[in-house]
Amino acid sequence: MTSNRSGRGKSRRNAAVAAVQGKPQKKTVQPKREREQGQSRGGAGKGQLRIGIGNGNENGNGNFDGNIKDADRNRIEKERGTRRSSGDGQGRHTSSRNRSSAEHADLPVQKNDETVIDIIGMNHDGEGVGRVEGFTLFVPGALPGEKVRVKVLKTKKQYGYAKLLEIVQASPDRIAAPCAIYDQCGGCQLQHMSYEAQLGWKRQHVVDVLERIGKLSVTDSASSGTESGANANATTESGNQAAQVLATGVEADTASASSSVISMDPNADSMSVNLAREQGVVVHPTLGMSEPWRYRNKAQVPIGVTEGGLVGGFYARGSHRIVDMNTCLIQDERNDEVVARVKEIGRILGISAYNEETGRGLLRHVVVKTAFRTGEMMLVLVTNGRDIPHADAWIGSIREHIPHVASICQNVNTKRTNVIFGDETRVLWGRDVIYDYIGNVQFAISARSFYQVNPVQTEVLYSKTVEYAGLTGKETVIDAYCGIGTISLFLAQHADQVYGVEIVKEAIDDARSNALLNNMRNVKFEVGASEDVIPAWKEQGITADVIVVDPPRKGCDPRLLDTILEMKPERVVYVSCNPSTLARDLRILEDGGYRTVEVQPVDMFPHTVHVECVVVIYRDEKH
């Protein structure tokens, strides 16, 4: 139940087919070359969107790297705008509307046109990608390999958006989304796609950005890297182009990782570098979940009000109107239970909901954290002010009906902002933390501390990180972006000394507490920016054999990359939540004398478009 609801179009086959059955058809677009009867188009390929690799089209496997983000689109439009003349050549200026109409008049489709297209790929947002005479249309809910009827909603110079009306020919990977509100919610983007196909697409997405943005050569050998995997191939033709959609050998069981092509013997590093240089980077099949539902241990639910009282769930598409929701299939069921109980108690006690427009009302968000291993739960009430009417009655009712709750906290946020948490947090009842385990490492989780939301896959991710670090017990390791010390403490079990750095003071306080909690004395944490602290450590004589980075979505700070190149550790292990910025940073490290050897995608967020990666990078002795 996240509040990030971008909204998707009709995406299930039955819903899409039903949407058009029995209805009169609107105007169907004719190919532009027939309408113009040989008239000049004003430039070959003028409407094509170059988002693939090689020739600027799809990359041949039906998967688009999806690097056309809003900022890129705005930049493209801005750049084109600066090159256009605002006049008509005779000193007269035309209106923006007329210019827009003139600019788009030569497109093969216009707004409100209906047409049938082949879906030849899928972008990073999970939208199907099709073409009309080379003009790209993004179609939410469509899958690669499908033939669909669409209605054009919006056109720009190089691409447009369309609504899925009917699935003429369905992909074998299409399934009925089990969530009843999947079409309205948008928190998941891929429920209408089989899980095996999701994992295959995520691997291919990683391959695409590594090749296009990182300019890396990826070997094909990993496509058959697991016997228990499944291949899902769908081929369709779009015009004269063939787009193949590849779901490469999927490892569905998180307990068994794909075999590594490198040896953990440090003496094998140079051999691995040579192998990477000659044969290319190995991208393994995505490590998925045997049960990819109910995996989230944290719910953050916005609260609103209707005539019936408090509601909480998700924001309706394109608005901040809160739609009530009682269950979410990717949330732990205990989280759903707590949220439902809080809403019920609030209605009984007459608690008001925060109103974004007026800035009035009390309850803003309900945040629930559940420890999967210990079963402990924390409830955080985010309020617009410190005073809670009937606080004792509310706390008593929660304790009575939800015995697993070990902590009830209040976070005060009086700012007119979309940010969930404010600066002040206090305990209303119980402890200020709950405890959970990842592997055999115990962690204390506070109201505002960051903790991975999928603990099952977090153990897979961190175990792979330790494996790629190749530790023998003698190494010094630096963990940049260490957060509350989750990766650092995993590494400390296998290294001589670990140094963690994080710019957020509260996170470092938690990291130090977690080190004491686990009686780990060979780990040291420091507050500050990695690019400032690590050079200072170097001046003190601290050099790293291995540097681990786990940056936010924007990737590593350029100065940190410079610091890594100056310090020259034997290995770098990069944990990434954004393949595009990962590829950008790998290119910088490659140019600085490192070689990317292995990439392991991990599915931390099933049924969404997100994918995490663990990458091992070796220093090339030739540099």
Side-chain angles (χ1 to χ4, degrees), residues 549-610:
V549 297
D550 183 10
R553 289 190 60 81
K554 66 180 181 180
C556 290
D557 186 283
R559 290 193 297 150
L560 174 60
L561 296 175
D562 291 339
T563 299
I564 292 173
L565 295 177
E566 291 174 6
M567 185 168 277
K568 297 182 179 179
E570 292 299 320
R571 299 188 190 199
V572 176
V573 180
Y574 195 131
V575 182
S576 167
C577 61
N578 186 341
S580 295
T581 54
L582 166 66
R584 177 202 67 198
D585 292 348
L586 290 180
R587 181 69 266 157
I588 295 172
L589 293 174
E590 290 259 339
D591 291 342
Y594 281 81
R595 288 293 174 265
T596 305
V597 177
E598 285 190 75
V599 179
Q600 177 61 72
V602 179
D603 190 24
M604 293 286 286
F605 309 100
H607 313 296
T608 77
V609 294
H610 302 293

Side-chain angles (χ1 to χ4, degrees), residues 167-213:
I167 300 172
V168 179
Q169 180 179 336
S171 164
D173 296 323
R174 178 173 288 277
I175 61 173
C179 179
I181 56 173
Y182 174 56
D183 292 331
Q184 300 100 299
C185 174
C188 301
Q189 301 87 34
L190 301 178
Q191 279 194 25
H192 60 298
M193 190 180 201
S194 73
Y195 189 53
E196 285 186 344
Q198 289 181 34
L199 297 181
W201 174 77
K202 289 184 179 186
R203 177 192 180 267
Q204 193 59 53
H205 174 53
V206 173
V207 171
D208 292 343
V209 295
L210 291 180
E211 291 181 334
R212 195 190 71 83
I213 299 175

Side-chain angles (χ1 to χ4, degrees), residues 250-269:
V250 170
E251 182 74 61
D253 187 358
T254 59
S256 60
S258 56
S259 59
S260 176
V261 301
I262 63 172
S263 167
M264 289 301 102
D265 179 359
N267 294 326
D269 289 0

Side-chain angles (χ1 to χ4, degrees), residues 85-95 99:
S85 169
S86 60
D88 62 1
Q90 299 179 17
R92 295 189 299 267
H93 290 263
T94 58
S95 69
R99 288 203 308 274

Side-chain angles (χ1 to χ4, degrees), residues 101-223:
S101 300
E103 289 163 4
H104 296 169
D106 63 341
L107 298 180
V109 289
Q110 301 295 325
K111 182 178 179 180
N112 295 324
D113 283 349
E114 293 183 9
T115 186
V116 175
I117 60 175
D118 292 318
I119 301 300
I120 57 176
M122 195 162 70
N123 70 2
H124 71 295
D125 285 327
E127 299 167 333
V129 181
R131 289 211 172 106
V132 179
E133 297 184 24
F135 181 74
T136 300
L137 289 175
F138 296 108
V139 187
L143 293 177
E146 293 188 327
K147 184 184 292 290
V148 297
R149 179 178 295 278
V150 301
K151 179 179 179 179
V152 179
L153 300 179
K154 184 178 181 180
T155 61
K156 290 182 175 289
K157 189 63 178 177
Q158 292 186 308
Y159 57 89
Y161 295 92
K163 177 182 179 180
L164 178 61
L165 298 178
E166 177 187 4
I167 300 172
V168 179
Q169 180 179 336
S171 164
D173 296 323
R174 178 173 288 277
I175 61 173
C179 179
I181 56 173
Y182 174 56
D183 292 331
Q184 300 100 299
C185 174
C188 301
Q189 301 87 34
L190 301 178
Q191 279 194 25
H192 60 298
M193 190 180 201
S194 73
Y195 189 53
E196 285 186 344
Q198 289 181 34
L199 297 181
W201 174 77
K202 289 184 179 186
R203 177 192 180 267
Q204 193 59 53
H205 174 53
V206 173
V207 171
D208 292 343
V209 295
L210 291 180
E211 291 181 334
R212 195 190 71 83
I213 299 175
K215 309 301 181 186
L216 298 174
S217 174
V218 176
T219 179
D220 293 330
S221 61
S223 62

Side-chain angles (χ1 to χ4, degrees), residues 61-80:
N61 49 39
N63 186 52
F64 285 76
D65 58 48
N67 200 42
I68 304 299
K69 299 186 177 181
D70 290 339
D72 298 319
R73 291 169 177 151
N74 293 337
R75 176 180 54 78
I76 291 171
E77 293 299 314
K78 183 177 180 180
E79 289 177 353
R80 289 184 175 275

